[in-house]
Structure formats: structure tokens, C-alpha cells
Amino acid sequence: MELLQRTSSFLTGMSAFVSQSRSLSFEGMKGGFLLNPIFLRFFTGSLHLILLVLVFISWLYKKFRSNEDEGPKNNIRPTSLLYYKPTLFSCLGLSFFNLILCLLNLFYWYRNGWSDEKILTLLELGIKTIAWFGLYLFLKIHLSSSRETKYPLVLRLWWGLFFLVSCYCLVIDILYYKKNQILSSLFWASDIVSLVMGLIFSYIGFLVKKKDEDTILQEPLLNGGASNGRESNRPSKGDETVTPYANAGVFSLFTFSWMGPLISLGYNKTLDLEDVPQLATPDTAGGAFPILNNKLESYREESNRVTTFMLAKGLFYTVWREIAVSAVYVLVYTVASYVGPSLIDTFVQYLNGQRDFKNEGYVLVSAFFVAKLFECLAQRHWFFKVQQAGYRARAALVAKIYNKGLTLSCQSKQGQTSGEIINFMSVDADRIGDFGWYMHDPWMVILEVVLALVILYRDLGLASIAGLVATVLVMLANVPLGNLQEKYQDELMKSKDKRMKATSEVLRNMRILKLQAWELRFLSKIMDLRKVETGWLRKYLYTSAFTTFVFWGAPTFVSVVTFGAAMLMGIPLESGKILSALATFRILQEPIYNLPDTISMIVQTKVSLDRIASFLSLDDLPPDVVEKLPIGNSDTAVEVINGTFSWDVSSPTLKDINFRVSRGMRVAICGTVGSGKSSLLSCILGEMPKVSGVIRLSGTKAYVAQSPWIQSGKIEENILFGKGMDRQQYDRVLEACALKKDLEILSFGDQTVIGERGINLSGGQKQRIQIARALYQDADIYLFDDPFSAVDAHTGTHLFNECILGLLDSKTVIYVTHQVEFLPAADLILVMKDGKIKQAGKYNDILKSGSDFMELVGAHEEALSALDSIDIGATASGEGRSPANSKSGLQKQESRNDRKDKVDNSEERKGQLVQEEEREKGNVGISVYWKYIRTAYGGLLAPVALLAQILFQILQIGSNYWMAWATPVSKDVPPHVRGSTLILVYVALSIGSSFCIFGRALVVATIGYKTANTLFNKMHLSIFRAPMSFFDSTPSGRILNRASTDQSTVDLNTASIIGLFAFAIIQLLGIIAVMSQIAWQVFIIFIPVIAICIWFQRYYIASARELARLCGTCKAPVIQHFSETLSGSSTIRSFDQEPRFRDMSLKLIDGYSRPKFHTASAMEWLCIRLDMLSLVTFAFSLIFLVSIPEGTIDPSVAGLAVTYGLNLNMLQAWVVWNLCFMENRIISVERILQYTSIPNEPPLVIESNRPHNHWPTQGEVNIQDLQVRYAPHMPFVLRGLTCTFFGGKKTGIVGRTGSGKSTLIQTLFRIVEPTVGQICIDGINILSIGLHDLRSRLSIIPQDPTMFEGTVRTNLDPLEECTDEQIWEALDKCQLGDEVRKKAGKLDSAVSENGENWSVGQRQLVCLGRVLLKKSKVLVLDEATASVDTATDNLIQQTLKNHFTDSTVITIAHRITSVLASDMVLLLDNGLVKEYDSPEKLLEDKSSLFAKLVAEYSIRSSSSYENLSNI
């Protein structure tokens, strides 16, 4: 009955709109059936029925055609139809309008009975609704990518007819009204709207001209991303156009319509980065960075230090306009949000019958509506502006950090590891960018409290003072909580830095860890660091949970205190005033609730600013170390006078350095390991701190480092290194560096993408690419740091002859070398010892004058004595006159292999090693959410959190309902209950709701903590158990991005974001429940509004999801590029390439900012539309409340509905916003889950098949038909190898660079699994046992000597298995004992990141020490002595001979002397065994390739130095 009464009241209220329908007879109107209203309704209805049939037939036709033409539709194009979007939404709007009229007509009919005309009118409106909606769907589905520029002819004709009929109907309405002075509002509304829409459609259909060519040419600039792919042959893409935001009009800016084309494109196809338009100049890194940089430079004129305040001030000036504009929006938003609460009391009194003037209800509704409109618009633009400011500040800051990393001095670098520096960029800069959200909160809170007090004072008088005191108390409670959070956040960041530093180092050295079977030991080290981090994380999360409890309880606490004070003061409590106060508290809740977040964010931002400011204050390389001389003024190329240089302030590294190099001279630098050769080159480059003296340099320089620095990217890009392509010069350089053959072998030639740090190239190839890079630059001065040690003897000779004596004949060349045979060609030789130049002069002069040089040459001659037994002359004569013949012989052999190789390769599936980063596409699967929720305790805690929130919602609504019901509407009405009962019940309900929130916060924190830990452990175990091929093809930036940024999101945000979404839905359902109690008719509007909201959300999310994924994939290249720059900064500086690298960095930063900026814009595009829709719902409910007769419903309860309704638009948008935010953030979980399912290496231990403890006893290695490739899409590197390495024998492996030597070793250790064939050690197939059982029984000294940050002890014995005595013994054997004893810490002496404070030769000796401690039966030397001088090499060989007499020693060496002492020699070429026999037998056969190599080496190395120097 109550329902019927309510409906009756509703319909009475609506009668003004629908009443007084035309009578059927239309008395007095002549003119026959054309003026008959039944005919009129019938005619328009039929017309729309025809439209519906036409649409259906067209749909069938298109469907049939599309099935016939089905094919790949890769290029989905936006439509070419003009005014497509307005047409689309006009159809939808007209359908919606007719639906509302239909429903109103239905209610009126239900109220007043029915007639034929009413039935006909209802049918007509129903048909119109369906017809226009059908047309909308047809346009949306079939014309969204149409190439036509005009709509179908039938449709345009129908629009014209519709316009004419609408005119006719309106004329009839006017005639009827003149005659009878009465006409239903429904008919006026229907016919006027139809006329206006008909006019619009006719204009679009007939009067709009086809676009001319100019318009089409300009379109990419106007439409941004939407123009992408308009013509398949046009290159125009989103990334070549500037964002439409830059040129948008006022309306477009206000409604975010400029985002429409990109969102439309994303709805139709999967967005890629090239679809996203470029940013406007002020938002780019190139636009923002100079402002920040100039400000910081102007502030730090007095001192070099950058303080936190300076940095904050500089950032403020970078984005001050956005801050100022957003402040205005915040002001408008705050004032507008308090209009509603201030009017509620008046509204309740109005419903109670107190009318001050006519139409007061509609004025109140208008006031509510306009205030809400301003509030929505201001909030959306406030959010957009602060995000824009954040992205701009972040871009400027990242660019500043990058520039600083490029100019850091070496001492500064030692204090900051690359992992820590990368964290400044990936975490701290992001946090400062996010601060924009919280920037205005401090002053906004004060303004909101003042406005709240004004409203409370008006309603509750002096009781509002109690409210103020309570609010201040709540805010003061923030102080200790804020301090705690700051402390925990700071410690969390420090521990994260340590973990990231360790992770970065481990990823860089994963190959050596796997070779030594140490990876699990290092994983446990990272897990220990994570344990410390999670200790702080737990404290941080639970402090946040307590904060949540305090502040959800805050509004309740404030309201209890205020109402209690009012009772005590005897101030009467009326429902209108209480509802007004409750609405005020609810608005106040948000700033108070956000206050802990704001304080936490201010704290975090300050911590980040402190960290970055201290980094920016570090010392740069002084620019004036090297004095630049103008070219042509003198003959001097390089000059050092009285130079003293030091890496370490305490003791100089180089002392009394004096030398002068004239233009065109060749200078060789030699000396023992650690004598200061590389340091001498560093001081010439200006890389080494100068204590005293003068360095002068004239001309451009090029530098080849001892450890190759190769960028990720194509080989061609590495060689060109920013210079334009000169094909002739390029080919000459490739020839000189012997790279042509390597490029022919590689599937993609010089377009092959090199993995991180040149991972898919051999050591020799990396070194030769480095040399090629230097040669191509065509500099004046060349500095080579022992580049020939990494290549084989044949290639070494070729490089020396073709590069130093050939292409660089007229250049100034300074080269460090350990190969004595390259010394006679020098015009000046500098002999280094203990950081001093001991001897300087020509070869023959210094040979006679001192002992130091004699030691080096003597050691070399001793090594050559192994060749004495060979008749060099006979070998040479057998070959011909000169090494040139042996070279040609090799080349013929190689060209034959080449042809075979090409045939083989043509059958291969070809593909790059480094693939694009994988990116999920389409919806984030529900499985990702399900996996996340179930990770902690099988998902059992999630229902507990939901239950706590539901209880909270029920108790909160209950407490407000109680206050509204129990207090009188006005002073005249007696209260329902006593004042004490009123407050006690309210307090009880409020305390209950607060405890529900506390429980919920604890549960969410527990879920977040547990899940973050579990996912971290799973991901890291998966990464550490991944095969080496994963690390070869995955740049470490991708892994580090997941371990830092994504893990941070999962640690701190994900659980609370998923929780907030669920809780927002519960709150929304609560509000709907309250509103439906008063006016269930609100559902008539609410349901279609919700449906449109969901449609908008689905339309938007396709683009938003892909933009969020692009943010994930575009961040890694920024970090990757920065990481590479840090490791290669000395090379970059030596080539004077800093400007190019800065530009590249700016471009990558913009590549990340573009999707970020458009993600934020898309979010606001959606929210502003949702706000408008929820505003319609709110307005409808208010109109309904003022339209119903007085006394129909309880004014207090109606007021409660309005109080909640004020929050409806915010909450409705919040639900969708949370859904989108959650989808964007869950991508971090998705990315981590990707890395929890990396295919594992084979098992580390196979319990059922473990070799006995002493295996291998003989050490015999038997290889059968071994074929290996690095990945299924790569060509074979080893192509059918069969041989046996005999137990206890020494086998040398030789072959030119890239012949497969290192691959064979990797296969022996199962770093690469054999594709075909097998390897047996002592009869056990290595594939049948666990990896750790295999690798821990073999030893290797790798090609790239590796040391880890830590101490000497942890570097030699990371597993802590040896005593100090054993370690000292190993150090003495490898000639490092004295060096370590000199250091203060002895075995605990610090080793910096990558072992940077040790020379490359010393690092190689540490690797030898590891092998001596391990004492394996099978030992592999992979070019182990490449980085040491000949004398040290001889010592190493002697040490190995003494301590590995019974072991199988497999040696890959470029020095022929290293393998001459072997029992057997294996010569590889192009992955095939060319020769395998004892060195003696191979040398007897003068035509053998090995004999040719030895002959060439002998001729090069023996007494014919004059011959060599005259080449």
C-alpha cells in the first residue's frame, strides 16, 4: 500500500508536466485526416519503424559483406565522416530523451486511465526510442572506420524527411494551442526537440561540404592520434604530431574533448607508442629542464652545494603556472563543495512546509546543481593540472640527474653505486612528481576547516568551538604518526637502495655466478637484504593501518564532541541542522582523512629531495684539468709536465709524469700489472683527479677502453656513434677491424641488435667494434688501452697493421700493450712501474739503458723459446715470402667455410637475440586479480576485510539515520528521545563503525605485506633459476624495473587500491539504498545513467590500459640508457658525445612522459563525463523531492537522502576512478607474475643421479656431434663438433674471433644446452646430472674478470668454505699476496662495485686465486691471461703447471705461446673442428692452419721488428 501511495504522490507531482493531453476529437479543427492527431502519431511512428527496418537491412548487408571480405584487419582506421561523434551522440541522446517521455507517459496513463491516443503515443515513443538507439548502434559498429566522407544517401534522405515532419507536427501543435489554449508539455517537448535535431541532422547530411585537400593535410595536427593510419602509405603517426591539447579551444579544454581521438583510436585498436602524440614543448623534458637547470645554477653561484630548499625552489619555478592555476581550481572546488551542506537545513525546512517565496524549491535545486557543476569541473581540472605539473617536474628532475651522472668525478662515483643512482631516477623522481596530488592539501585543509566552522556556527552556535577543538586534536595526532612514518619510510628507502645495488651487481655478473654455481648463495644475500627491507615495510604498513583507523574515526569523533557540546549547552538539535552538520563533517572527513597521506607524502618527498640534492652536490669532473690547445698553433698533440695524479686522496697513483707527444707520433705504454698504464691514459683524458702539474691536448680524441663498453642497439649504431653514414669510410673501417666476416656470419649483419653490454658478442668482437667506433670518428688523437689482448694472434696482427700502422698512420696514437712484439713500431715507448715513467725512448735505445724494459722483453723471449725447436725459416719459406701469403691461405680456407656457412644459415629461422619487451594486451585477466588475492593465506582474509567494510557502512548509515530520525524537524515538534539517549546511541554506533575500520585496515595491511613478500620471493627465485639465455636477451633494466618500481607498487599500494575499489562499491550501494528508501523512482534515471557510465568506462579502459602498459615498458629504456651511460661515461666523454647522449635521454624521458600525460588526461576525460551523469541523477532526485506534495515523506529522511546524494557524484566517479586506477596498478602485479613463470634451467641437483664426491677422477671430456645455438631463432654456432680432451692433459683451443671457442666452453658448463649431440666427462653424460653437481666440479677463469663489491675474502671465497691460511696461500701463488698485505684491511680490504679499484690484470689474478682454492679436476682458461703482461702471463702459466699437473686443463688463448706448451691443440673455424692433434704434429705439417698461425706469430714476434715497423 505504501508503495502505491508513493507512486500516486509521484504521479500527482508529475501531472504538471504530462497533464491535459489533447483530446481525441480535436474539436473545431477542420482539415481532414492530415490534421487528425491519431494519424499524426501513427505517421511519425511508422516513419521511425521504416528507419528501424532500413537500419536492420543495412546491418544484415554489412554483416554479409564483412564475412565475404574477412581478412586481416591490422590497420583499423578512424572514420572519415564529418561530425561523426556529434551525430553518434545526438542519436543516443534522442533515444534517451524519448525513453524518458515514454516512461513519464506510462506513469501518467497508469494514474489517469488510458485511451486510444495514449496507447498510440506510448507506442510511438517506444518505437522512436528503439529506432534512434538502433541507428546509434549501426553508426557505431559499421561506420566507425568508414572511408566514405558522406553518410549513406538513404539515411540523409530520411533525416530530411524527419525534419519536414517535425516542422509539420510543431505547426499542428501551435494551431491546436491557439484554438484550445491548452497543450500537454510532453507534446511541446517532443516536437520542439525533434525539430531541432532534424535541423542538425539535415545540416550534417546535406549542407556540410566534403573536406578539401588542405583540411586533410592539416588533419594530423588537429586530430593527433586519431589521424594515425588514415592512409596506409602516409607516414603520419601520433608520434609525429603534437598533442591536440596544445591547440585545443576553451570548450575542448574544459570538457577534455581533445582526448577523444586518442581514446577512440584505442577503442578500435591496441595502442602503441607511435599512436600517442608528442607533448607540447613546455611539458617536454627539453622544455622543462633548462628552466630547472638555470634556476639551480643561479642559486649555487656562491657554493657548489645544492640544498633541498634550492631544489624545491627550482622545481617550483619550473611548474609555477600549473601550481597557480590549480590553486584557483582548488579554491573554487572548496567553496562550491560547502554550498550543499549550507543549504540542507533550508531544504529540510522547505520540505517541512516553510516556503519563503514562490518557486523556492526550484531555486534551491538550481543552487545545488550549479554548485555541484562548479565543484565537478574545478576538481577535474585541479587533478589534471597537478598531474601535468608532476610529470613536468619529474621530466626536468630526471634530465638533471642524468646530466649529473654524465659529469660525475670518479671519487664521487665510488661513493654512489649505479644501483643507488638509478634509484634516484626510478623511485625518488617519481615520488616528487606524485607530490602534486598533495601540494595544496595543507592550505586547503585550513580553508575547509574555516568554512566548516562558519556553517557549524550558523547551525549549532558555540558548540562549533568544541568541533574546532576536536578537529585540532585530530590533526595534532598526526604529528607523532607522521614522524614515525618518516622514519620508517627513510629506512625503507635505504634498505631498498642496498637491495637494488646488490640486485644490479648480481644481474651484471650472472654468467660468472652460474659458471661457479654461486647463484643461490647470492640469491640468499638478496633475500637477507629484503628481510631487512620488509622489517621496515611491515612497520610502515601497520603504522599506516593505525593512521587509517584514527582518521576514519575522526569525523565521528568530531561530530560526537560537537553534538555532545550542543546538548550540554542546551542548544536545540533539529534534524535539518544535524544533517547540515553531518554533511559538513563528511566533506571535512576527506582532508582530515587525507592528512596522514599528505604528511606521509610531504615526508617522503622531503626524503627524496634530500637524497637528490645530496647527489647533485657531489663533485663533478673539473673541466679545466686538461688545457685545450688550438689546432695548428704548435706541433704538440699531448703534453704532461710535472704531473701528479691520484684516484685516492691519501696516496698519489701517478707521480712525476713528464712526456711530450708530437702530432703524428705513435707512443706505446708498457709495464707490469698495476703499474699505472691505464691510469696514464685516464689522466690524458682528464678522467683522473689532478694533484699538480699541467696537461695539454690539441685536437679531438678517441678512446678504446680495456674493458669494452658496447651500447644496446645495432652494431651499425655502435660504430657510427652519432656520426652520419659515410659508406666508403664505414667499409674501410670494417675491413681494418676484420669485422666483415663476423657480420656475414651474423643473421642480420650490422643490423644485428646487440644485447646488454654486448652479451651476444665474443670478447674479441666487442673489442673490434670498439676499435671500429674510434676509427670511424676520424679524431686527431687516439688512445688505445690494450685492445689487442682480447683478440687472437692473427686478428691482433691484422688490427695492428691495418689500424695503427694503416688507417691511423698520420694520426697521433698512444697505445697501452702487453704484447712486446707491438713495441718496435712505436716512435716513443714509455715504461711504467709503480706509477712512474721509469724509461722513455725508442725500442733499441731503452733496451740498452735499463732493467725494467729488459724484464718485459726477457719474459717475452722466454715465452718464444718454445718456438726454438721450429725451423722458422723453413716454415716461412714453405708458406712463401711473407705473412701476407699465410693470410691469403687462411682467407681461401675461410671463404670456403663462408660459403658453407651461408648455405647453412639460409635454412635457419632468423631473429634478433634481444626482443621487444613483452607487453600483455587487452583486458587484465581476472586471473591476475585472483592470483593476487589468493597469494596471501589462500585468499581467506579478503572476505574478512569485505565483511568489516559492510558492517562499517551499516553502522555509519545507521548512526546518521538515528540522528535524522530521533531529532525534531523544527523547534515546535517535541523530540522522539531524550538528549542523553540520542548521544549514547550515536556514540555506540560510531565506536562500532570505527573498530570495523580498524579491523579492515589491519587485514588489508596484512594481505598487502604477505602478498608483496610472496611475489618477491617467487619472482627472484624464478629469475635466479632462469637460463643464461634469458639474461642475454633481457636487458637488466627490464628486470630492475620490476624489482624496484613494480615491487614498490606491490609493497605499498596494490592491496589498499584493490581494497578501496571494493569499499567504494559498498559505499555506493549504501547511498543507493538510502536514496531508494525515499524515492525509488530515482532508479528510472539511475539505471540508465549507471549503464552509460559502464559503457563510458569500457570505452575508455581499452585506451587507458594500453597507455598504462606503455608507461611500464617506456620506463625501462630510460633506466637502461642511464645505466649504460654511467658505465660508459668515460668513453662518452672521451668522444665529446655528451650533448648527443643528453638529447637521447631527453627523447626517452619524453617517451615515458607521453603515455603518462595522456593516461592522466584520459582519466579526467572519463571522470568529467561520469560527474555530469551523476549530476543528472542528483538533480532528478531533487526535482522529484520538490515536485511531490508537501507531507508525503518525512522531511528529515528526505534531508538524509540529499545529504548522501551530495556525495553520489563523487562516489560514482570514485568507483570508476578506482576501477581504472586499480586496472592500471594491477599491471605491476601482472608484470611481476610474468617473471614468476620464466622457464627454469634444468634442475640444480638430480637426487637420483648424483655423481660421487670425487668425480671427475680422470677429467676426460668426450664430445660427440655437438651442435649448439643460442636460441631457436638464432643460427648454429657450433655445427657438429666431435673430439676428446684427454684426462690430465692440457688442451689448447685456438681459432679466430667468433669461431665458437667460448661457446664450446659455455656448453661444457651447460650455460647453453646442446641442441644436438652430447658431452661426457669420465663417462657421465653431463645432461644427466644436476647443474650444480656439474658446475661446482669444474673450474674456470673467465674471459671478463669479475669482482664483486665486498672484501678480498668474499671475492675469493663467497661460499665461506676456506680458512684464512688457504686464502693467503692462494693469493701468494697468484702474485697478489704482497699487494693485499700493503692494504690496511688485508683480507677485509674493500672492493668497490665491479672491482673498479683494482686493475683489470689484478682482477684476472683474483679469478686465478678462486681456481687455486677450488682445486678442480677440470680447469678451463677462457683467454685468462689476456689482460696481463707477458711476465705475469709466464708466472700464471708456471703456477698452473705446478698446481694442476693431474688436471685436464682446457685453454682458450690468443697468445700462441700459451697453447704451445699444451699436449693437444684444437683449431676451430666457424663452429667446426679444422685440426686436432699435438702441437708438434700440427707444426710438422707446413700446410696446417695452426702452422701458419705459429709462423705468422713467429715472424711478427721474433727479431724482424724493423721489418714490422717499416710496414
Side-chain angles (χ1 to χ4, degrees), residues 1454-1471:
H1454 290 148
R1455 289 185 183 152
I1456 296 295
T1457 50
S1458 301
V1459 294
L1460 280 174
S1462 305
D1463 301 307
M1464 299 292 282
V1465 171
L1466 171 70
L1467 193 141
L1468 290 179
D1469 188 37
N1470 266 346

Side-chain angles (χ1 to χ4, degrees), residues 1415-1455:
K1415 295 184 184 128
S1416 298
K1417 197 68 185 169
V1418 176
L1419 169 64
V1420 177
L1421 308 178
D1422 188 357
E1423 296 168 21
T1425 56
S1427 304
V1428 295
D1429 58 273
T1430 316
T1432 314
D1433 186 6
N1434 290 346
L1435 282 167
I1436 291 174
Q1437 297 299 342
Q1438 198 56 48
T1439 307
L1440 293 173
K1441 196 177 280 184
N1442 296 341
H1443 295 93
F1444 290 92
T1445 43
D1446 303 332
S1447 299
T1448 306
V1449 180
I1450 301 165
T1451 307
I1452 294 177
H1454 290 148
R1455 289 185 183 152

Side-chain angles (χ1 to χ4, degrees), residues 8-234:
S8 171
S9 309
F10 166 70
L11 294 167
T12 306
M14 284 301 166
S15 60
F17 186 70
V18 196
S19 64
Q20 303 154 350
S21 173
R22 301 179 241 208
S23 73
L24 267 176
S25 59
F26 265 53
E27 294 98 344
M29 289 205 59
K30 310 289 181 200
F33 77 94
L34 285 177
L35 298 179
N36 189 318
I38 293 184
F39 170 75
L40 212 57
R41 298 299 113 198
F42 176 75
F43 181 63
T44 52
S46 304
L47 200 63
H48 282 82
L49 200 57
I50 291 166
L51 171 67
L52 197 57
V53 171
L54 283 173
V55 165
F56 184 66
I57 291 168
S58 300
W59 178 75
L60 285 177
Y61 174 70
K62 294 265 186 191
K63 189 83 178 161
F64 179 69
R65 282 288 301 275
S66 66
N67 286 345
E68 275 187 355
D69 304 343
E70 209 152 69
K73 293 184 182 175
N74 299 333
N75 192 17
I76 295 176
R77 302 140 51 88
T79 182
S80 300
L81 291 166
L82 281 180
Y83 298 113
Y84 171 70
K85 284 255 172 99
T87 308
L88 201 62
F89 286 107
S90 296
C91 292
L92 185 63
L94 209 45
S95 172
F96 190 58
F97 174 73
N98 280 299
L99 174 67
I100 290 171
L101 291 185
C102 185
L103 292 169
L104 289 172
N105 196 54
L106 185 70
F107 286 129
Y108 181 69
W109 173 30
Y110 174 80
R111 176 86 172 78
N112 292 348
W114 59 275
S115 66
D116 292 345
E117 190 191 1
K118 284 174 189 166
I119 293 171
L120 193 60
T121 306
L122 194 67
L123 281 173
E124 179 219 19
L125 290 168
I127 291 169
K128 278 185 175 180
T129 301
I130 297 165
W132 285 110
F133 190 68
L135 181 57
Y136 162 77
L137 289 177
F138 175 76
L139 291 173
K140 179 77 192 147
I141 295 165
H142 289 299
L143 298 185
S144 60
S145 54
S146 167
R147 299 180 192 187
E148 297 295 327
T149 52
K150 287 190 173 181
Y151 291 93
L153 179 64
V154 177
L155 182 59
R156 287 184 287 136
L157 289 173
W158 192 90
W159 280 342
L161 186 60
F162 172 64
F163 173 59
L164 294 173
V165 170
S166 302
C167 292
Y168 174 68
C169 287
L170 193 61
V171 169
I172 296 296
D173 286 345
I174 293 164
L175 290 173
Y176 180 83
Y177 184 74
K178 276 187 175 176
K179 175 76 179 166
N180 298 322
Q181 296 298 309
I182 190 163
L183 180 68
S184 166
S185 309
L186 186 144
F187 292 107
W188 278 119
S190 174
D191 294 340
I192 289 169
V193 168
S194 295
L195 178 72
V196 172
M197 296 310 294
L199 186 64
I200 291 169
F201 287 132
S202 300
Y203 172 75
I204 290 170
F206 296 100
L207 298 177
V208 171
K209 299 288 180 214
K210 189 179 174 185
K211 292 182 240 190
D212 59 27
E213 294 305 312
D214 291 344
T215 315
I216 291 173
L217 286 171
Q218 290 164 9
E219 190 152 40
L221 291 171
L222 298 170
N223 283 354
S227 61
N228 181 31
R230 186 173 291 283
E231 293 295 335
S232 56
N233 60 349
R234 270 191 23 217

Side-chain angles (χ1 to χ4, degrees), residues 775-961:
L775 293 185
Y776 189 77
Q777 293 304 307
D778 195 27
D780 301 316
I781 301 164
Y782 281 82
L783 305 169
F784 290 96
D785 194 353
D786 196 19
F788 310 117
S789 59
V791 295
D792 56 80
H794 165 71
T795 312
T797 309
H798 177 90
L799 286 174
F800 193 78
N801 291 346
E802 297 294 329
C803 298
I804 290 181
L805 304 181
L807 278 181
L808 303 181
D809 192 35
S810 60
K811 306 281 187 184
T812 308
V813 181
I814 302 174
Y815 59 97
V816 170
T817 185
H818 288 129
Q819 278 122 313
V820 175
E821 59 269 24
F822 292 144
L823 295 176
D827 301 317
L828 172 68
I829 298 170
L830 303 177
V831 183
M832 300 290 297
K833 190 171 185 185
D834 300 330
K836 292 181 179 176
I837 299 175
K838 288 288 187 185
Q839 290 172 273
K842 282 208 165 223
Y843 182 81
N844 289 329
D845 301 341
I846 58 172
L847 196 56
K848 296 163 191 165
S849 68
S851 59
D852 295 307
F853 189 56
M854 264 314 295
E855 275 175 34
L856 292 169
V857 176
H860 177 64
E861 285 174 352
E862 190 185 317
L864 281 177
S865 63
L867 291 169
D868 285 349
S869 58
I870 302 158
D871 180 1
I872 292 163
T875 309
S877 62
E879 281 309 299
R881 290 191 316 280
S882 73
N885 278 359
S886 69
K887 204 186 296 178
S888 66
L890 270 170
Q891 281 166 350
K892 280 177 198 160
Q893 181 71 37
E894 283 162 1
S895 65
R896 283 200 298 276
N897 295 336
D898 239 9
R899 283 194 293 277
K900 182 175 179 188
D901 192 48
K902 280 176 187 165
V903 171
D904 285 4
N905 274 354
S906 65
E907 295 161 12
E908 299 296 338
R909 290 190 2 259
K910 303 203 175 170
Q912 296 281 22
L913 175 72
V914 180
Q915 302 292 326
E916 280 292 309
E917 180 166 6
E918 64 289 343
R919 168 162 77 96
E920 302 285 343
K921 299 205 170 171
N923 284 332
V924 178
I926 198 77
S927 62
V928 176
Y929 295 97
W930 185 235
K931 279 178 189 166
Y932 180 84
I933 289 165
R934 291 198 57 210
T935 303
Y937 307 107
L940 292 174
L941 286 181
V944 177
L946 288 174
L947 184 64
Q949 178 65 22
I950 291 165
L951 279 173
F952 163 75
Q953 198 62 37
I954 291 168
L955 289 169
Q956 198 192 41
I957 290 171
S959 64
N960 292 343
Y961 198 92

Side-chain angles (χ1 to χ4, degrees), residues 74 76 78 223-229 237-239 259-277 917 919-922 1099-1111 1113-1114 1154-1156 1158-1159 1162:
N74 299 333
I76 295 176
N223 283 354
S227 61
N228 181 31
K237 292 204 169 185
D239 65 351
M259 265 305 292
L262 185 64
I263 292 172
S264 171
L265 185 67
Y267 184 69
N268 290 321
K269 66 168 281 234
T270 303
L271 287 181
D272 292 309
L273 187 61
E274 62 263 23
D275 299 317
V276 182
E917 180 166 6
R919 168 162 77 96
E920 302 285 343
K921 299 205 170 171
Y1099 180 65
Y1100 148 88
I1101 199 69
S1103 305
R1105 192 189 304 114
E1106 296 313 319
L1107 285 168
R1109 284 179 175 142
L1110 284 172
C1111 293
T1113 53
C1114 292
R1154 272 159 61 196
K1156 289 286 274 185
H1158 288 94
T1159 300

